[in-house]
């Protein structure tokens, strides 16, 4: 076999020939960027796409962006054959999600209302109507079904081949059996890819390598924390009377979804406790591969699922298929430009929804690359929400079990991840735990959400869609903030020190509001992109002419840091330091907050001496703290930024003095 002939350069190199990579190449070419090269290490679809189940479902997401991507994908698959001459196998047989308990019914009614708002024609139907549409289902315990007539199924391999052909027809180059072994970099930006057959220079690279994306990205110094896990479906022998026109039926309570497959049935499974696969790294030569199924582990889940369609208990099994798929810590995709390397984009970590969002995601990525920014809200998917420690082997091994298991659990509004906990602790964490704090996962931090009164243990909460058992404690905290004084640990907030003679000029350019005014003043502001939409929502405090203090939310941590660094001109004397871990943030809020604060400092905190938006270093006992008079609660309040080593001392002083004024945590 002759070695492939590679171009010396391309505008964009897409790495990975699964459905996502082919969709990105297709949409880039359709947007007029013909100089696109897609490189696949083996054959198209050889990673996870070839064994995907092929559901094409618009129902179920509570993200407007994801729902729109699903709708676009469904429409694209319906018209691709006419454009390319390659069938996609898309068949709009319909889709039914069933609810068999009251909480699931509440959830799906909420999801349905949101999906209808987004233009999905979903209808609540009775158990009898479910039976009419899927006669083999056991429906006696079904409370309701949620039916989308236009949804259905597609053939993942055919879809991918159609996208690849569509990309070629528009001028893109698709090359198989060309692995990418590394990346070229120049001045903080990607400059191309390395292969066994030579380098290709490129302005942009898009990592669409699926379950290999983490390992591949690491070669460029880019963080993509995803992990492969065993993923199952069962194929049966032929079933008399089973029609290929029946809708797809999904029942999370039974761990399964059901659809016709070549006269038999496919039973897809999402077990609540999964098995991570190859935590050390996915083999480079794993292609069109399946794994030996664990019958003992999966047996109980299979039996439970089969009871939803009882004929399966009497039907022969062709194959219990086990193939790896990759999952992310929060079940959201990893999408966007890497914080570590300019023009290096990632589209991976689809969490088993690659087929049903693949078309829309390819369009979003292409638009982002061509225009310089996404045209939809990608906040929840953006790669810069993720942190480097989440790529640690132990973290991936631990969290993946829970994240995959969450797919079919009831998604309660207060549900917090329970695994990989204790990774990030505030300096006053132990003090708060002793006060009865119930902690949630706040971007990896242990954040105190409510406090149990004496005699009550803050154990795992009883999840529900209604008012929680801790609501009275929460109510008392709110009332204390309105009438008295409270203390809150907000150490998880992202904190940055921006320094240099041009620091004010840079922040003034980035910020929508006027932030480079008098020293010792905080300004609440937004950061906008070229389209006028929000990139960040934060505060900028001017300490002096060459020092500024920027505070953003925990979820925006890496986004804000990257946005700042990428908007400092090359000739500017300005530097950003992430000081989040070095400072605790303790907020004292409420009408009596000045009374409490004045009792622990010699600094004059009167309204005349320390007005609203004032920022000044003050003494508290033996410590020094940056004190900012600001509030988000509608009452008088202060934020204290304290060096981590002095935080406990300041906290203890506040609590001791707070006894006199009824301080509440």
């Amino acid at each position: 076999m002759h070695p492939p002939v590679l171009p010396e350069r391309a505008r964009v190199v897409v790495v990975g020939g699964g459905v996502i990579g082919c969709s990105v190449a297709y949409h880039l070419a359709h947007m007029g960027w013909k100089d696109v090269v897609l490189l696949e290490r083996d054959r198209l679809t050889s990673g996870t796409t070839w064994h995907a189940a092929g559901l094409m479902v618009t129902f179920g997401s509570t993200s407007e962006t994801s729902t729109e991507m699903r709708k676009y994908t469904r429409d694209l698959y319906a018209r691709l054959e006419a454009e390319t001459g390659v069938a996609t196998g898309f068949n709009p047989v319909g889709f039914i999600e069933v609810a068999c308990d009251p909480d699931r019914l509440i959830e799906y009614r909420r999801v349905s209302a949101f999906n209808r708002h987004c233009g999905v024609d979903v209808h609540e139907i009775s158990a009898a109507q479910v039976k009419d549409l899927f006669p083999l289902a056991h429906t006696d315990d079904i409370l309701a079904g949620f039916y989308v007539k236009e949804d259905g199924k597609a053939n993942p391999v055919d879809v991918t081949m159609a996208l690849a052909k569509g990309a070629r027809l528009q001028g893109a180059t698709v090359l198989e059996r060309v692995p990418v072994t590394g990346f070229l970099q120049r001045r903080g930006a990607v400059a191309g890819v390395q292969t066994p057959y030579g380098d290709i220079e490129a302005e942009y690279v898009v990592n669409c390598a699926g379950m290999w994306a983490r390992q591949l990205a690491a070669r460029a110094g880019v963080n993509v924390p995803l992990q492969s896990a065993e993923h199952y479906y069962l194929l049966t022998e032929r079933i008399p009377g089973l029609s290929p026109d029946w809708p797809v039926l999904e029942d999370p309570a039974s761990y399964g979804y059901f659809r016709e497959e070549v006269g038999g049935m496919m039973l897809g499974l999402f077990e609540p406790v999964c098995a991570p696969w190859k935590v050390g790294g996915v083999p480079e030569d794993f292609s069109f591969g399946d794994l030996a199924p664990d019958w003992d582990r999966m047996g109980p889940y299979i039996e439970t699922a089969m009871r939803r369609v009882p004929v399966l208990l009497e039907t022969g099994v062709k194959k219990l298929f086990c193939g790896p798929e990759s999952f992310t810590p929060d079940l959201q995709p990893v999408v966007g430009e890497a914080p570590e390397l300019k023009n290096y984009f990632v589209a991976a970590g689809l969490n088993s929804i690659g087929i049903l969002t693949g078309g829309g995601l390819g369009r979003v990525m292409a638009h982002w690359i061509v225009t310089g920014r996404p045209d939809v809200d990608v906040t929840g998917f953006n790669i810069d929400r993720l942190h480097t420690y989440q790529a640690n082997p132990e973290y991936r091994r631990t969290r993946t079990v829970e994240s995959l298991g969450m797919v079919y659990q009831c998604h309660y509004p207060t549900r917090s991840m329970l695994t990989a906990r204790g990774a990030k602790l505030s300096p006053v964490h132990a003090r708060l735990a002793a006060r009865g704090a119930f902690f949630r996962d706040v971007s990896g931090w242990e954040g105190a959400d409510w406090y149990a009164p004496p005699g009550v243990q803050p154990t795992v909460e009883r999840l529900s869609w209604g008012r929680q058992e801790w609501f009275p404690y929460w109510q008392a905290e709110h009332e204390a903030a309105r009438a008295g004084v409270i203390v809150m640990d907000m150490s998880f907030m992202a904190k940055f020190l921006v320094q240099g003679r041009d620091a004010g000029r840079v922040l003034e350019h980035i910020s929508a509001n006027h932030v480079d005014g008098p020293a010792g003043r905080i300004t609440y502001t937004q950061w906008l992109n070229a389209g006028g939409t929000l990139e960040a929502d934060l505060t900028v405090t001017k300490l002096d002419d060459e020092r500024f203090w920027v505070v953003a939310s925990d979820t925006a941590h890496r986004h804000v840091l990257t946005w700042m660094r990428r908007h400092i001109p090359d000739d500017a004397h300005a530097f950003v330091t992430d000081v989040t871990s070095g400072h605790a943030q303790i907020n004292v809020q409420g009408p009596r907050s000045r009374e409490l604060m004045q009792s622990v400092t010699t600094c004059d905190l009167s309204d005349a001496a320390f007005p609203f938006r004032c920022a000044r270093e003050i003494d508290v006992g033996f410590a020094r703290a940056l004190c900012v008079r600001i509030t988000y609660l509608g009452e008088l309040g202060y934020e204290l930024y304290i060096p981590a080593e002095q935080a406990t001392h300041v906290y203890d002083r506040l609590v001791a003095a707070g006894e006199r004024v009824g301080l509440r945590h």
Side-chain angles (χ1 to χ4, degrees):
M1 183 187 301
H2 295 292
V5 178
L6 306 186
E8 292 184 1
R9 60 185 54 83
R11 195 166 193 182
V12 185
V13 173
V14 179
V15 185
V19 67
I20 304 301
C22 290
S23 180
V24 171
Y26 171 91
H27 286 92
L28 282 168
H30 268 271
M31 290 189 72
W33 282 28
K34 312 297 186 182
D35 190 10
V36 174
V37 175
L38 184 149
L39 301 179
E40 162 55 41
R41 69 191 172 97
D42 190 9
R43 304 293 298 275
L44 297 182
T45 77
S46 63
T48 56
T49 296
W50 74 274
H51 65 71
L55 304 190
M56 187 53 253
V57 178
T58 57
F59 174 80
S61 175
T62 52
S63 157
E64 184 173 4
T65 300
S66 183
T67 302
E68 292 299 325
M69 288 197 299
R70 292 171 183 225
K71 290 164 56 185
Y72 174 87
T73 301
R74 185 181 64 188
D75 295 342
L76 175 65
Y77 294 172
R79 60 178 164 82
L80 263 181
E81 182 175 0
E83 175 189 338
T84 66
V86 178
T88 62
F90 175 60
N91 189 0
V93 294
F95 171 78
I96 307 171
E97 189 89 63
V98 299
C100 301
D101 63 76
D103 280 8
R104 193 80 69 170
L105 183 62
I106 292 172
E107 177 177 8
Y108 289 156
R109 283 176 171 166
R110 291 180 176 210
V111 172
S112 295
F114 178 77
N115 286 174
R116 280 192 289 270
H117 165 75
C118 295
V120 177
D121 189 23
V122 54
H123 298 268
E124 182 174 335
I125 61 176
S126 67
Q129 289 171 300
V130 173
K131 187 75 171 180
D132 289 341
L133 291 164
F134 203 104
L136 292 177
H138 170 72
T139 59
D140 290 356
D141 61 334
I142 291 176
L143 300 179
F146 296 83
Y147 177 50
V148 182
K149 183 179 180 181
E150 297 80 13
D151 285 352
K153 55 189 178 181
N155 184 308
V157 172
D158 291 348
V159 163
T160 306
M161 295 304 179
L163 288 166
K165 184 173 181 182
R168 289 190 186 101
L169 289 173
Q170 293 296 320
T173 300
V174 178
L175 297 174
E176 297 179 297
R177 301 192 189 281
V178 182
V180 170
T181 56
F183 300 92
L184 306 175
Q185 301 185 32
R186 191 175 301 121
R187 295 181 58 81
V190 73
V193 299
Q194 298 168 315
T195 83
Y197 310 108
D199 299 345
I200 304 176
E201 294 184 3
E203 296 176 43
Y204 301 88
V205 171
V206 191
N207 179 343
C208 302
M211 61 182 172
W212 288 271
R214 178 184 60 82
Q215 295 155 239
L216 186 67
R219 296 175 186 173
V222 170
N223 178 54
V224 181
L226 51 77
Q227 174 59 44
S228 299
E230 294 180 4
H231 193 46
Y232 287 85
Y233 57 74
L234 182 143
L235 301 172
T236 76
E237 302 287 356
R238 296 186 68 84
I239 298 175
L242 176 58
S243 170
D245 297 325
W246 288 3
V248 177
L249 178 70
E250 186 168 48
D251 176 22
S254 298
Y255 313 122
Y257 59 85
F258 311 84
R259 72 168 179 82
E260 186 272 345
E261 176 78 5
V262 197
M265 192 169 289
M266 173 188 282
L267 162 56
L269 294 157
F270 280 96
E271 71 271 29
V273 180
C274 78
W277 183 71
K278 297 292 185 185
V279 175
V282 179
E284 299 290 340
D285 59 353
F286 185 79
S287 291
F288 296 108
D290 60 343
L291 312 176
D294 187 341
W295 282 94
D296 291 338
R297 187 174 71 82
M298 295 303 296
Y301 304 126
I302 293 171
E303 290 179 18
T304 298
M306 284 181 169
R307 285 196 285 271
R308 176 58 59 205
V309 183
V311 70
L312 297 179
L313 295 165
E314 307 160 6
T315 304
V317 174
K318 275 187 182 178
K319 185 177 181 66
L320 176 59
F321 178 86
C322 178
E325 286 198 40
S326 57
F327 296 85
T328 61
D330 56 5
L331 276 185
Q332 299 295 339
V334 184
V335 174
E337 187 178 12
E340 303 89 348
L341 189 61
K342 286 182 67 175
N343 297 342
Y344 186 103
F345 283 78
V346 177
L350 273 298
N351 306 286
S352 287
I353 60 168
I355 302 301
L356 61 90
T357 59
L361 181 56
R363 190 208 68 79
V364 169
M365 293 299 296
H367 188 280
W368 195 337
I369 293 166
V370 170
T371 68
R373 65 183 183 88
D375 60 340
V376 296
D377 179 9
V378 295
T379 307
F381 309 148
N382 202 316
I383 184 174
D384 60 20
R385 77 186 187 279
L386 299 163
H387 295 266
T388 54
Y389 79 94
Q390 293 176 300
N392 287 6
E394 185 176 349
Y395 183 97
R396 288 184 283 110
R397 181 187 298 109
T398 304
R399 175 54 67 86
T400 302
V401 174
E402 183 177 21
S403 63
L404 189 154
M406 279 294 295
V407 172
Y408 271 2
Q409 290 188 29
C410 204
H411 301 96
Y412 296 104
T414 60
R415 167 71 159 80
S416 184
M417 295 303 244
L418 302 176
T419 57
R421 295 289 295 271
K424 297 160 98 173
L425 302 180
S426 158
V428 297
H429 175 82
R431 294 287 202 273
L432 305 185
R435 289 277 171 173
F438 178 84
F439 295 98
R440 295 196 191 282
D441 183 333
V442 180
S443 298
W445 291 81
E446 296 298 313
D449 193 61
W450 50 268
Y451 289 83
V456 175
Q457 287 298 315
T459 54
V460 176
E461 63 184 337
R462 176 186 55 80
L463 295 168
S464 79
W465 292 96
R467 181 170 287 187
Q468 301 281 13
E469 71 274 12
W470 43 259
F471 188 88
Y473 321 146
W474 216 35
Q475 178 179 340
E477 292 173 24
H478 279 253
E479 289 171 347
R482 297 175 189 180
V485 58
I486 61 166
V487 62
M488 293 192 294
D489 177 33
M490 302 285 284
S491 298
F492 50 77
M493 296 290 279
K495 300 173 281 288
F496 308 97
L497 185 61
V498 186
Q499 301 177 91
R501 61 177 175 269
D502 296 321
R505 175 170 65 86
V506 168
L507 288 170
E508 190 79 350
H509 175 70
I510 295 174
S511 303
N513 282 340
H514 177 43
V515 299
D516 190 14
R521 191 168 178 81
I522 187 172
T523 303
Y524 170 55
T525 187
Q526 285 68 44
W527 289 355
L528 308 179
N529 55 42
T533 55
L534 269 68
E535 293 291 339
D537 175 84
L538 41 72
T539 58
V540 177
T541 301
K542 182 173 181 178
L543 304 177
D544 58 45
D545 285 343
E546 294 193 10
R547 292 189 308 133
F548 291 77
W549 186 260
V550 176
V551 179
S553 70
D554 54 289
T555 54
H557 189 144
R558 296 192 81 204
H559 186 73
V560 164
L561 179 59
T562 304
W563 190 262
M564 270 194 288
R565 285 178 172 166
R566 292 211 171 138
H567 286 84
I568 297 175
D570 290 341
D571 61 349
H573 184 265
F575 313 93
V576 181
T577 306
D578 183 353
V579 296
T580 302
S581 302
H583 290 77
Q585 179 181 338
I586 296 176
N587 291 6
V588 180
Q589 304 278 320
R592 301 190 71 177
S593 57
R594 180 186 286 118
E595 183 181 352
L596 171 57
M597 287 297 303
Q598 192 64 80
S599 71
V600 298
T601 183
T602 61
C603 179
D604 184 359
L605 299 182
S606 66
D607 194 50
F610 209 104
F612 181 60
R613 293 177 59 198
C614 182
R616 192 174 304 156
E617 190 175 273
I618 67 170
D619 64 291
V620 179
F622 305 130
R624 304 292 293 181
L626 172 63
C627 179
V628 181
R629 185 179 158 190
I630 196 73
T631 180
Y632 291 95
L633 305 187
E635 302 290 347
L636 179 68
Y638 303 86
E639 295 178 352
L640 296 174
Y641 298 95
I642 313 148
E645 69 274 15
Q646 294 191 312
T648 302
H649 173 71
V650 171
Y651 168 84
D652 288 344
R653 288 293 178 105
L654 287 168
V655 171
E659 290 183 5
R660 184 178 57 82
V661 291
L663 177 68
R664 189 177 185 104
H665 282 66

